[in-house]
Amino acid sequence: MEGTANADGRLKYQRGNNLLVFWSKSKMNRALSIRSGKKDGSSSSSGPPARHGFSLMSLRGNLQPELSKKLYKLIKSENHLIQAHEAAARERLSIGAQLSEWGEATGDDAISDISDKVGVILAEIGEQEDLYAHNIDDSRGILKAIRNTEKSVQPSRDSKAKIADEIAKLKYKEPESTKLVTLEQELVRAEAENLVAEAQLTNITRQKIKEAYAAEFAATIERAEKQILLARHGRRLLNLIDDTPVVPGDVRAPFGHGSQARQVMNDAEDDLKDWRLELDDLPSLDNTMPNLTTQRQKGGDHSILGGDTEAEHHTSVVQGAGSMADGSRISSGTSAGAAGQHYASSEAPASVLA
Amino acid sequence: MEGTANADGRLKYQRGNNLLVFWSKSKMNRALSIRSGKKDGSSSSSGPPARHGFSLMSLRGNLQPELSKKLYKLIKSENHLIQAHEAAARERLSIGAQLSEWGEATGDDAISDISDKVGVILAEIGEQEDLYAHNIDDSRGILKAIRNTEKSVQPSRDSKAKIADEIAKLKYKEPESTKLVTLEQELVRAEAENLVAEAQLTNITRQKIKEAYAAEFAATIERAEKQILLARHGRRLLNLIDDTPVVPGDVRAPFGHGSQARQVMNDAEDDLKDWRLELDDLPSLDNTMPNLTTQRQKGGDHSILGGDTEAEHHTSVVQGAGSMADGSRISSGTSAGAAGQHYASSEAPASVLA
């Protein structure tokens, strides 16, 4: 790819320190292709804790036909990713509770009230982290459909090759053998069977890979938008703590913002309730979302199914996009909904946008 | 808290399934207070993997003076949280590389190109997860300032109590003892010394708890907004895969969206570069951010320091807020910057908003 070099130069310059770290971990053309970053991939997968039971995994991996080995391992890694986010969710819940207990123990009424409510916000951030793990698990299930098809196509390829091989051998050894006719017939049948298998493979692969990662990206957006709401309200709570220093002997004025603190909590609840996921139409997503939501009894289904019902909010989003120079650019995700619709209609292939 | 019951009723009704799960894990008044959720906290902290070395930790915990024990453990939990997000980052990077390798192996040019670029997006999402872990670590460092002050205040309290105790005993045993005068003098000195220590404790506690969690919430917003950008562009890439089914024998048309795919990657780079963190002013944050950024060579400092430099984007945000009924409500975080300024000026105590 001749474009890589100068592209890298540009990107490096553009993205500053963040990118330099990015680079230091990977090959220069990582930003355009990750393949050269093999070391990167392997080193990071060699990292995970022992409890993953890698020995057992790689053992099973070897029982996989060649065709499905790579995806088999990727699905395993998705599982480790899910475990990591579940652990993060657990710790968040624990930290929320501990912060509240600590605040109570300080005997400072302001710290006690705010730390308790910030603890609740942190716990809900943990709940969203856990919901995210569940959603990745659903997307992981979609990948298995590809892996299973890969598995089932391998024998069809093998038998076809085997018959062709027999025919070649036989033609060399005894060209007049009547068995050749039978084998030729078998080959035609095997080729027909394989033709169907290969068509099934490409159809399943393209549809499901879209579904799986569209769902994973949607889950990423859901967690992000909800955690932004919670974090912003958490900062409102912290604003209610008067941290002007006192001199020895002074007594703090009693905490006077209890009602404001409760209001922040109510706002946080209401914002979470009103939250809607706004995405451009990704056709395969229509199949995915039911999976994503029915398997789980969480707010996810509300938000995911509730698409464009929130006119007021939608308006503000469109305004945001209107003020952007380039509709295909996404401005801090704030006006991404509208931007999404813009590029979807202008850039994606018509066939995909039925 | 008499307000709890009906508040719960309301919240339960408002927040639907998501909340029910939330409830099932905790006491009913968890939404207003997490304290009653002790079980919740302990059960979740009892969850984490063995590698945490809990035995050693709790041993150390016991060496802590009573005053700093709770915060000591909370800081430990923050460490486990950081490890979990680091693990998630590693797995993301690994998955990105594996997805690319798998796509190449399919021999399908469309899958090969898109899976490689989606792999890069996933890897960058992993980089942002890792940056998040670093930021939590910085916030964790701020908490240690409180813990250390708590540690240092304990002896001052103890010696004061000890002297008062001696005086009481002596007054009972030999009320005429001349030693009483000396002890009374010692007590006055001890009380003065303790008065200073307690003032230092409340000043440090209020300032640093605000700093620490304001920084952690800011980091949560940074990760969320950047991952939203990446996820939206990732979905653009998936849109370029034509997943209309083929019949056996058909050949797929060659992949015709290579340049669009490259454009998506460029847009993603540009959006990350242009990203700015927009927060309401939290005074103690001014002290925090330098810590947050100098200890780390990542894009964080750009975004955090670059506050309101992006006029155009800022405008769109304000427009968003303009269309909201209630400025203190945050609509999917999209217009939170403006909403933040609104509530900051209207709700937070003047003393905090100097």
Side-chain angles (χ1 to χ4, degrees), chain B residues 14-71:
Chain B
Q14 281 185 338
R15 287 180 48 201
N17 298 338
N18 191 4
L19 192 71
L20 292 179
V21 174
F22 195 39
W23 282 161
S24 68
K25 292 195 184 181
S26 58
K27 290 257 168 51
M28 285 300 287
N29 55 352
R30 156 85 171 278
L32 280 185
S33 170
I34 197 171
R35 253 158 224 154
S36 54
K38 269 205 183 74
K39 259 205 263 63
D40 191 49
S42 53
S43 70
S44 34
S45 55
S46 72
R51 69 176 143 75
H52 286 171
F54 257 106
S55 60
L56 179 58
M57 173 193 131
S58 51
L59 207 67
R60 285 216 202 95
N62 293 335
L63 302 182
Q64 295 283 318
E66 197 51 41
L67 189 53
S68 59
K69 238 174 208 163
K70 283 190 164 59
L71 203 51

Side-chain angles (χ1 to χ4, degrees), chain A residues 15 223 269 271 274 329, chain B residues 15 227 269 271 274 329:
Chain A
R15 286 180 47 202
R223 175 189 68 164
E269 306 282 2
D271 285 337
D274 295 345
R329 292 283 305 280
Chain B
R15 287 180 48 201
Q227 290 188 345
E269 305 283 3
D271 285 337
D274 296 345
R329 291 284 306 281

